[in-house]
């Protein structure tokens, strides 16, 4: 990275719009671009997919970017901001002045997010990274890199979507009523009108089904996924998932990970949620009483809203921490997100 780009990255303050990049431009990445379009405190300037990247320091147009991606298959064809590339992430890091990136990437294979973090470390880039990781093992890989992230001057916010993320943070706050936490139970309902808009997300969910693992789900063709969904009438019922809420709550000192359970229902053929998303925190108060707090998300909020909104709230919090010199790895259970106007 050139000294000019390093200087540009260090020049950002909260008095200026936060320059945001999005890595991954599938359903989640496109939703993130739309969310950013309504923000005054953030400006979407960069994005990358598998085949290309786009950068405009004064801002990208989500409508044009999404149309280009759908019509031509890559942001690399976006005129005049796009560039086709065989090494999109590295090229974008090198050429774009970005304060923080939202990693809207699939964690297939399970080592992928850690490998992306390593690219940022090796590039010399300094700033904030935010992900919406699901799996406990993926967060464990990032934990092993926390010293490297700190030395590199990167503030990495892990597990900052809906679950883990929004619901994990709610559990951490609700836990304050108790002297001891007995259990944290997260139940989610997701409705998607067209599963193909969220191919990677659905494959990650399939990886949690009995008889499947991450590698099997990654190797499934679209036809294989369609066949499975035909068998289940489009419904995926997920129980006792390997979800990073457990390690995040354990790291935050809320409870041991064996007291955290995550499961839910995904309807891939209906935008209406099959059930309400909620987290139940059960514990013993200092008076010796057992009680349960329940935090329920409104059914009208979509998966995209409940993932992207918190992700950018945590990105803003991460920028504040980074400017104060706090680098390394943090999770959604340790930091409050900042509302982004």
């Amino acid at each position: 990275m050139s000294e000019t780009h390093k200087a540009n990255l260090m020049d950002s303050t909260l008095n200026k719009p936060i320059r945001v990049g999005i890595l991954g431009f599938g359903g989640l990445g496109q939703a993130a671009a739309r969310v950013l379009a309504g923000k005054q405190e953030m400006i979407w300037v960069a994005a990358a997919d598998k085949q290309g990247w786009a950068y405009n320091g004064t801002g990208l147009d989500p409508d044009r970017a999404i149309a280009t991606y759908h019509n031509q298959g890559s942001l690399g064809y976006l005129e005049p901001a796009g560039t086709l590339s065989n090494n999109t992430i590295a090229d974008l890091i090198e050429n774009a002045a970005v304060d923080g990136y939202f990693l809207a990437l699939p964690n297939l294979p399970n080592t992928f997010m850690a490998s992306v973090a390593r690219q940022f470390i090796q590039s010399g880039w300094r700033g904030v990274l935010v992900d919406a990781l699901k799996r406990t093992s993926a967060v464990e890989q990032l934990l092993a890199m926390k010293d490297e992230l700190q030395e590199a001057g990167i503030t990495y916010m892990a597990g900052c979507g809906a679950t883990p993320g929004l619901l994990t943070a709610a559990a951490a706050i609700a836990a304050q009523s108790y002297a001891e936490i007995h259990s944290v139970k997260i139940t989610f309902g997701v409705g998607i009108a067209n599963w193909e808009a969220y191919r990677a997300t659905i494959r990650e969910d399939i990886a949690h089904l009995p008889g499947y693992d991450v590698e099997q789900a990654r190797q499934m063709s679209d036809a294989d996924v369609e066949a499975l969904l035909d068998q289940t009438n489009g419904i995926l019922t997920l129980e006792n998932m390997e979800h990073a809420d457990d390690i995040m709550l354990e790291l935050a000192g809320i409870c041991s990970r064996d007291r955290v359970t995550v499961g839910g229902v995904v309807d891939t053929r209906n935008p209406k949620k099959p059930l309400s998303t909620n987290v139940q925190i059960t514990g013993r108060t200092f008076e010796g009483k057992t009680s349960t707090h329940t935090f329920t998300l409104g059914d009208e909020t979509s998966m995209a809203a409940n993932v992207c909104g918190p992700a950018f709230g945590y990105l803003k919090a991460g920028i504040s921490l980074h400017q104060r010199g706090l680098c390394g790895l943090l999770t959604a259970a340790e930091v409050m997100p900042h509302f982004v106007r």
Side-chain angles (χ1 to χ4, degrees):
M1 178 178 289
S2 70
E3 291 302 318
T4 300
H5 281 126
K6 289 182 182 179
N8 286 340
L9 290 170
M10 295 300 291
D11 186 47
S12 175
T13 71
L14 285 178
N15 294 323
K16 301 177 182 178
I18 298 167
R19 298 167 296 188
V20 179
I22 300 171
L23 295 190
F25 210 63
L28 188 60
Q30 291 170 36
R34 296 228 183 262
V35 169
L36 285 173
K39 301 296 185 183
Q40 301 173 26
E41 296 178 299
M42 291 184 172
I43 179 171
W44 177 44
V45 298
D49 55 51
K50 288 182 179 180
Q51 300 176 52
W53 55 274
Y55 172 68
N56 184 336
T58 61
L60 293 168
D61 183 322
D63 290 330
R64 289 189 61 234
I66 292 170
T68 298
Y69 183 84
H70 282 296
N71 293 334
Q72 295 178 266
S74 175
L75 290 168
Y77 293 103
L78 181 65
E79 295 291 346
T83 302
L84 293 171
S85 169
N86 293 320
N87 199 11
T88 59
I89 295 176
D91 287 349
L92 184 61
I93 296 171
E94 177 68 25
N95 291 282
V98 173
D99 303 310
Y101 282 94
F102 174 37
L103 310 184
L105 297 163
N107 199 45
L108 299 172
N110 201 38
T111 56
F112 184 55
M113 206 66 78
S115 71
V116 171
R118 191 161 299 285
Q119 284 193 63
F120 277 94
I121 291 171
Q122 294 172 346
S123 74
W125 180 85
R126 301 170 68 89
V128 179
L129 301 177
V130 174
D131 71 39
L133 272 177
K134 295 180 181 179
R135 284 190 173 266
T136 303
S137 52
V139 173
E140 288 175 327
Q141 293 170 41
L142 291 168
L143 274 172
M145 300 169 61
K146 62 181 181 180
D147 291 341
E148 295 175 75
L149 290 163
Q150 185 171 12
E151 291 171 7
I154 294 172
T155 304
Y156 194 116
M157 312 290 290
C160 296
T163 174
L166 176 59
L167 295 178
T168 331
I173 294 171
Q176 307 309 313
S177 296
Y178 304 117
E180 179 187 12
I181 303 302
H182 294 163
S183 67
V184 176
K185 182 180 180 181
I186 294 174
T187 306
F188 60 83
V190 174
I192 302 173
N194 175 16
W195 81 268
E196 291 181 333
Y198 290 90
R199 287 183 175 91
T201 298
I202 296 303
R203 282 184 171 81
E204 286 191 67
D205 288 335
I206 289 172
H208 288 281
L209 291 173
Y212 291 86
D213 58 28
V214 172
E215 189 57 28
Q216 286 174 296
R218 186 175 74 90
Q219 292 181 357
M220 291 176 71
S221 66
D222 285 357
D224 292 333
V225 174
E226 285 281 8
L228 174 61
L229 296 178
D230 284 341
Q231 293 174 21
T232 64
N233 197 29
I235 302 292
L236 299 176
T237 302
L238 307 162
E239 299 177 349
N240 296 319
M241 302 171 72
E242 183 211 325
H243 238 243
D245 304 85
D246 59 3
I247 189 173
M248 289 164 58
L249 289 169
E250 185 173 83
L251 287 169
I254 304 300
C255 62
S256 59
R257 67 180 73 185
D258 61 343
R259 298 191 179 191
V260 182
T261 58
V262 180
V265 178
V266 180
D267 188 341
T268 64
R269 296 176 178 175
N270 190 337
K272 184 178 179 180
K273 293 181 181 179
L275 51 87
S276 295
T277 297
N278 67 87
V279 56
Q280 295 180 316
I281 307 93
T282 300
R284 173 181 56 81
T285 69
F286 77 95
E287 301 101 335
K289 296 180 179 179
T290 299
S291 180
T292 299
H293 287 329
T294 301
F295 177 70
T296 304
L297 302 185
D299 288 343
E300 294 76 17
T301 56
S302 65
M303 176 189 72
N306 291 329
V307 172
C308 297
F312 292 126
Y314 280 109
L315 194 155
K316 183 179 175 182
I319 291 289
S320 178
L321 294 172
H322 189 263
Q323 290 175 338
R324 286 150 51 191
L326 182 57
C327 300
L329 184 74
L330 296 164
T331 77
E334 299 172 277
V335 179
M336 284 291 291
H338 294 185
F339 186 73
V340 185
R341 297 190 304 275

